[in-house]
């Protein structure tokens, strides 16, 4: 029996009493992935990205481990919810226009002490001030650095369109605006190198493309390390008491941690290890989060149909955004249909051994987005479920 076949047998036994669709997290794999992130961080704390987990119980589990400190959130509403639930260090990774949320933040000492907001423009500070509604609490602020690699005089950009702040002088200027402005305190800098951390460098069947990605990422790491260090020096000259400099992502943990200017690493997807991490040379993890769909039809030889399963991930549309049939091994989509909203035909010889009601296990393309489809996650240890915990959706929270 192959390791994957053994996992399938465990998952089927553990969930035999549950009807699919069902989502699981293999805790042994989850904990092993967490330990690997800490190892690769080389002594620097890992701030867990909540958008990649979207389950309070699992956030609590990983933050209880040595080496993890704080949460990186994705909306202000989520940040406030987490702070009210007792999480004491929540960094909002994206600018917000949530006026109501800023009003709550400025009026509540507990929330203001726990939550740090992201800015890259003076206009965002203006919006916060206009939203205070009488609140006088000091708002903690983090500046975001654009990490993209610019080539040929800036005519070619490699990396996400995020912050407009690129050069040390630009960040120092905004830092001065924050420091001079009553009601704000500058506490950090964030720089997420998604073109390094979030792009696989070993694309199956594409050796030339893979080599090109590795060369690009090596150049990007060198350029960013130099620029990030200069930015930190410039901002610290304005705000010597900066609490943190955040960088990285699951795919670049060890590289980012090697930079002296960086004080903490962000990671989250590496806890679940979705399919997008199958194409990395820098690390390998264990798939920890899966979902199962039930077989509901047997249209012919070598074909079964499962209920639903069309759960595409965000990002530029493509086959790499689709979940993949994982267990049993050897199933594939019908190229004329792909994964559907209501039904998904699957092809391959393993289909002939599946009966009506059997489970087919899938891996999502990305991490936390799976939790938007399920109200609970079944936590598996060995071949049994030890707990069922609510996702954000299961707690009635849909932040985006």
């Amino acid at each position: 029996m192959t390791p994957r076949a053994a996992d399938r047998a465990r998952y089927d036994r553990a969930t035999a009493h549950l009807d699919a669709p069902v989502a699981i997290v293999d805790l042994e794999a989850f904990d092993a992935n967490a330990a690997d992130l800490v190892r690769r961080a080389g002594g620097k704390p890992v701030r867990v990205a909540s958008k990649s987990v979207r389950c309070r119980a699992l956030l609590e589990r990983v933050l209880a481990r040595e080496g993890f400190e704080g949460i990186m959130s994705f909306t202000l509403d989520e940040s406030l919810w987490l702070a009210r639930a007792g999480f004491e260090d929540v960094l909002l990774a994206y600018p917000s226009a949530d006026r109501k949320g800023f009003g709550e933040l400025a009026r509540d000492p507990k929330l203001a002490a726990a939550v740090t907001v992201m800015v890259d423009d003076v206009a965002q500070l203006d919006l916060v001030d206009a939203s205070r509604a009488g609140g006088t609490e000091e708002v903690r602020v983090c500046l975001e650095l654009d990490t993209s690699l610019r080539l040929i005089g800036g005519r070619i950009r490699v990396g996400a369109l995020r912050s407009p702040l690129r050069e040390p002088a630009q960040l120092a200027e905004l830092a001065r605006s924050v420091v001079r402005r009553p009601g704000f305190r500058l506490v950090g800098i964030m720089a997420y190198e998604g073109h390094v951390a979030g792009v696989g460098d070993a694309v199956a069947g594409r050796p030339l493309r893979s080599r090109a990605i590795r060369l690009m990422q090596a150049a990007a790491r060198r350029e960013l390390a130099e620029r990030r260090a200069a930015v930190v020096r410039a901002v610290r000259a304005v705000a010597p008491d900066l609490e943190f400099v955040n960088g990285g992502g699951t795919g670049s943990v060890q590289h980012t941690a090697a930079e002296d200017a960086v004080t903490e690493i962000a990671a989250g997807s590496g806890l679940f290890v979705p399919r997008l991490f199958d194409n990395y040379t820098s690390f390998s993890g264990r798939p920890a989060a899966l979902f199962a769909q039930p077989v509901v039809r047997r249209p012919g030889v070598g074909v079964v149909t499962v209920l639903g399963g069309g759960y595409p991930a965000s990002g530029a549309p493509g086959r790499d955004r689709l979940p993949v049939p994982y267990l049993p091994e050897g199933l594939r989509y019908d190229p004329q249909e792909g994964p559907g909203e209501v039904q998904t035909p699957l092809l391959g010889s393993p289909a002939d051994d599946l009966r009506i009601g059997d489970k087919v296990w899938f891996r999502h393309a990305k991490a936390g987005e799976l939790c938007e489809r399920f109200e609970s996650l079944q936590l598996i240890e060995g071949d049994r479920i030890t707990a069922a915990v609510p996702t954000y959706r299961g707690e009635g929270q849909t932040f985006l």
Side-chain angles (χ1 to χ4, degrees):
M1 183 180 289
T2 67
R4 277 173 61 174
D7 284 341
R8 181 194 174 200
R10 289 195 300 113
Y11 302 153
D12 282 348
R13 285 196 298 270
T15 62
H17 62 295
L18 297 176
D19 290 333
V22 64
I24 65 166
V25 171
D26 184 331
L27 288 180
E28 182 179 336
F30 181 89
D31 290 343
N33 294 334
D36 187 60
L37 288 171
V38 171
R39 177 189 63 79
R40 291 197 287 133
K44 292 186 177 178
V46 178
R47 183 182 292 273
V48 60
S50 63
K51 80 178 183 67
S52 299
V53 180
R54 303 193 204 197
C55 170
R56 276 203 300 161
L58 290 177
L59 289 173
E60 291 167 353
R61 182 183 183 92
V62 74
L63 286 170
R65 298 179 63 95
E66 185 174 352
F68 286 87
E69 293 180 16
I71 287 176
M72 177 175 282
S73 58
F74 57 95
T75 73
L76 180 56
D77 195 17
E78 179 212 14
S79 305
L80 301 179
W81 180 67
L82 290 172
R84 290 189 190 98
F87 294 94
E88 297 179 346
D89 180 3
V90 183
L91 169 62
L92 175 57
Y94 305 88
S96 176
D98 182 352
R99 293 175 174 83
K100 178 176 178 291
F102 283 130
E104 294 176 17
L105 183 67
R107 292 192 299 271
D108 189 315
K110 176 183 175 181
L111 298 181
V115 175
T116 301
V117 304
M118 191 65 59
V119 301
D120 56 34
D121 192 311
V122 172
Q124 295 155 354
L125 301 176
D126 294 340
L127 190 146
V128 175
D129 271 338
S131 306
R132 287 181 179 272
T136 59
E137 293 299 322
E138 191 173 58
V139 175
R140 293 166 54 86
V141 169
C142 177
L143 308 182
E144 181 172 3
L145 165 67
D146 168 44
T147 66
S148 63
L149 176 65
R150 304 293 176 93
L151 304 170
I152 316 179
R155 290 192 291 274
I156 295 177
R157 173 187 57 82
V158 181
L161 281 167
R162 291 179 63 111
S163 171
L165 305 177
R166 228 187 124 67
E167 302 302 329
Q170 292 176 304
L171 281 100
E173 181 180 358
L174 184 55
R176 283 190 286 271
S177 296
V178 175
V179 169
R180 289 195 298 258
R181 193 161 184 154
F184 294 91
R185 179 153 61 99
L186 179 58
V187 298
I189 300 172
M190 187 195 81
Y192 171 57
E193 52 269 40
H195 51 302
V196 179
V199 178
D201 62 352
V203 184
R206 304 287 296 277
L208 294 179
R209 176 174 173 79
S210 298
R211 177 168 172 75
I213 291 172
R214 287 194 289 273
L215 290 172
M216 175 277 292
Q217 290 179 337
R221 288 196 301 268
R222 289 192 298 271
E223 186 275 338
L224 179 59
E226 181 177 336
R227 186 158 51 89
R228 181 155 39 198
V231 164
V232 172
R233 287 194 297 271
V235 174
R236 285 196 184 278
V238 177
D241 297 328
L242 276 184
E243 296 176 13
F244 63 86
V245 177
N246 180 281
T250 290
S252 67
V253 170
Q254 64 270 39
H255 302 297
T256 308
E259 296 182 33
D260 291 339
V262 174
T263 66
E264 65 175 36
I265 309 299
S269 296
L271 296 168
F272 283 173
V273 185
R275 66 164 292 198
L276 285 181
F277 287 117
D278 289 348
N279 300 322
Y280 282 71
T281 59
S282 60
F283 81 105
S284 60
R286 293 174 55 181
L290 297 93
F291 68 93
Q293 303 296 115
V295 173
V296 292
R297 286 179 173 163
R298 294 172 49 88
V301 176
V303 186
V304 292
T305 301
V306 299
L307 182 71
Y311 305 156
S314 60
R319 292 186 61 83
D320 65 345
R321 300 291 142 170
L322 302 179
V324 290
Y326 184 60
L327 302 170
E329 300 177 66
L331 292 173
R332 64 187 187 279
Y333 292 125
D334 180 339
Q336 296 186 60
E337 296 196 44
E341 178 188 12
V342 179
Q343 70 161 34
T344 298
L346 298 170
L347 313 180
S349 58
D352 294 329
D353 296 323
L354 291 169
R355 299 167 297 175
I356 300 295
D358 283 351
K359 295 181 177 75
V360 174
W361 295 92
F362 293 77
R363 292 172 66 200
H364 204 273
K366 298 180 79 171
E369 291 181 25
L370 169 66
C371 293
E372 299 297 336
R373 301 284 183 168
F374 292 89
E375 293 186 350
S376 64
L377 298 171
Q378 309 297 319
L379 306 185
I380 290 182
E381 297 184 66
D383 61 357
R384 64 191 184 93
I385 294 172
T386 55
V389 295
T391 60
Y392 280 10
R393 173 179 166 174
E395 294 199 67
Q397 304 296 331
T398 52
F399 296 111
L400 282 176

